[in-house]
């Protein structure tokens, strides 16, 4: 399973519609194998849809997410003027390092 972050560019200061994740999931095609969609309207610098899907490769997962998001933006009037900026796997620090946990060396316990 892959997690792909789709960054959506709103027109002006428009907010991500509250039902964006539900709308996206409803538009997923069976062959896209989308398991779950979550919305992160306050993500910076742009709102994000997190798409969890089964795929044979990262490229396939990113491609499927791109197709889904473009369909979402084209099908719903609430997304008029929105653009898909990226659809890619997020880079995450190992647990306990960087933004996801305390700094310092995990082997020495230093901060």
């Amino acid at each position: 399973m892959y997690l792909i972050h789709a960054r959506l560019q709103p027109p002006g200061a428009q907010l991500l519609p509250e039902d964006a994740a539900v709308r996206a999931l409803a538009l997923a095609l069976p062959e896209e194998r989308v398991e779950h969609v979550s919305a992160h309207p306050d993500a910076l610098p742009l709102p994000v849809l997190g798409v969890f899907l089964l795929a044979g490769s990262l490229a396939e997962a990113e491609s499927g997410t791109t197709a889904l998001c473009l369909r979402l933006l084209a099908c719903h009037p609430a997304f008029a003027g929105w653009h898909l900026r990226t659809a890619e796997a997020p880079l995450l620090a190992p647990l306990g390092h960087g933004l996801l946990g305390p700094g310092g060396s995990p082997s020495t316990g230093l901060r």
Side-chain angles (χ1 to χ4, degrees), residues 5-10 46 73 81-88:
H5 278 180
R7 297 193 186 286
L8 303 174
Q9 176 74 52
L46 297 171
L73 299 180
W82 285 73
H83 299 282
L84 175 64
R85 289 295 171 216
T86 62
E88 56 195 12

Side-chain angles (χ1 to χ4, degrees), residues 23-24 29 38 40 42-43 55 57 60 69 72 74 76 78 82 84 89 91 98 107:
R23 288 179 186 227
L29 302 175
S38 61
H40 304 280
D42 298 323
S57 68
E60 183 182 318
C69 290
L72 174 68
H76 291 291
W82 285 73
L84 175 64
L91 297 177
S107 61

